[in-house]
Amino acid sequence: MGYRNKTYVAFDGDNDMWAYAFMKGWNAREHIDFNFHDAHTISELTYRAQDEYYIKSVLRELQKAAKQFIILVGESTKYLRKYVRWEIEFAINLNLPIIVANLNGINGIDRTLCPTPLRNQVAIHGPFKKAYIKQALDDFAAKYNTYLQKFSGPVHYNQTFH
């Protein structure tokens, strides 16, 4: 069960904090069958928020401790180069399983919104739904090496998530 490992979550902090808060809510509710160990503790970054070197050093350590990477893709995510693109590229370099959650609900890669570094990577793309994220953590993250052997680019599940 991939969701029992530390999970790094990247997103547009200005526009998509609501989605991150939703995930934390799913995680907090005991009667909901969803759990992830969040590697991305934003409070650690507030002390020296203007220092890019410091922020990236904290994010680097959090990513190194993670076993999988979730990117919440909204309307402006692909334009964020300073941190989000850097986080994606660092996850790729660490060979972390990457789970893309499209905030617009699309199941599969949304080439109009997908950040460029992910367009040709073996990463799973699906809708921002609890069932999809849970399945991707349980299946894709746990079997990532098998996916790497079978695929050379983006993948998605052929099912509907509620």
Side-chain angles (χ1 to χ4, degrees), residues 10 39 44 49 53 69 95 102-103 148-149:
E44 292 184 32
Y53 177 79
F69 180 93
N95 198 34
N102 295 313
L103 299 182
L148 285 175
Q149 293 171 3

Side-chain angles (χ1 to χ4, degrees), residues 124-137:
I124 192 148
H125 297 252
F128 179 69
K129 302 275 186 182
K130 178 180 56 127
Y132 159 72
I133 293 171
K134 183 180 182 311
Q135 182 171 334
L137 289 170

Side-chain angles (χ1 to χ4, degrees), residues 41-113:
T41 20
I42 294 173
S43 61
E44 292 184 32
L45 303 181
T46 58
Y47 173 64
R48 292 166 50 186
Q50 299 303 317
D51 185 347
E52 181 179 349
Y53 177 79
Y54 172 74
I55 291 171
K56 285 183 176 179
S57 71
V58 171
L59 296 177
R60 186 178 299 113
E61 292 308 310
L62 292 172
Q63 273 198 31
K64 285 180 181 177
K67 299 296 180 196
Q68 58 257 335
F69 180 93
I70 295 176
I71 176 77
L72 306 178
V73 175
E75 293 293 322
S76 58
T77 309
K78 73 177 182 178
Y79 302 112
L80 302 175
R81 300 191 185 284
K82 188 173 186 178
Y83 294 111
V84 174
R85 184 178 182 131
W86 176 87
E87 289 170 298
I88 292 167
E89 290 171 347
F90 195 67
I92 291 167
N93 288 337
L94 290 174
N95 198 34
L96 291 176
I98 298 175
I99 298 164
V100 179
N102 295 313
L103 299 182
N104 62 7
I106 290 178
N107 185 26
I109 187 168
D110 180 346
R111 295 211 178 265
T112 61
L113 296 179

Side-chain angles (χ1 to χ4, degrees), residues 148-161:
L148 285 175
Q149 293 171 3
K150 289 183 178 181
F151 299 97
S152 61
V155 297
H156 70 278
Y157 295 120
N158 291 322
Q159 67 188 74
T160 303
F161 294 95

Side-chain angles (χ1 to χ4, degrees), residues 9 11 16-25 38 40 42 72:
V9 183
F11 57 95
D16 302 328
M17 183 66 79
W18 65 269
Y20 181 69
F22 245 80
M23 288 181 63
K24 290 181 76 87
D38 182 12
H40 195 184
I42 294 173
L72 306 178

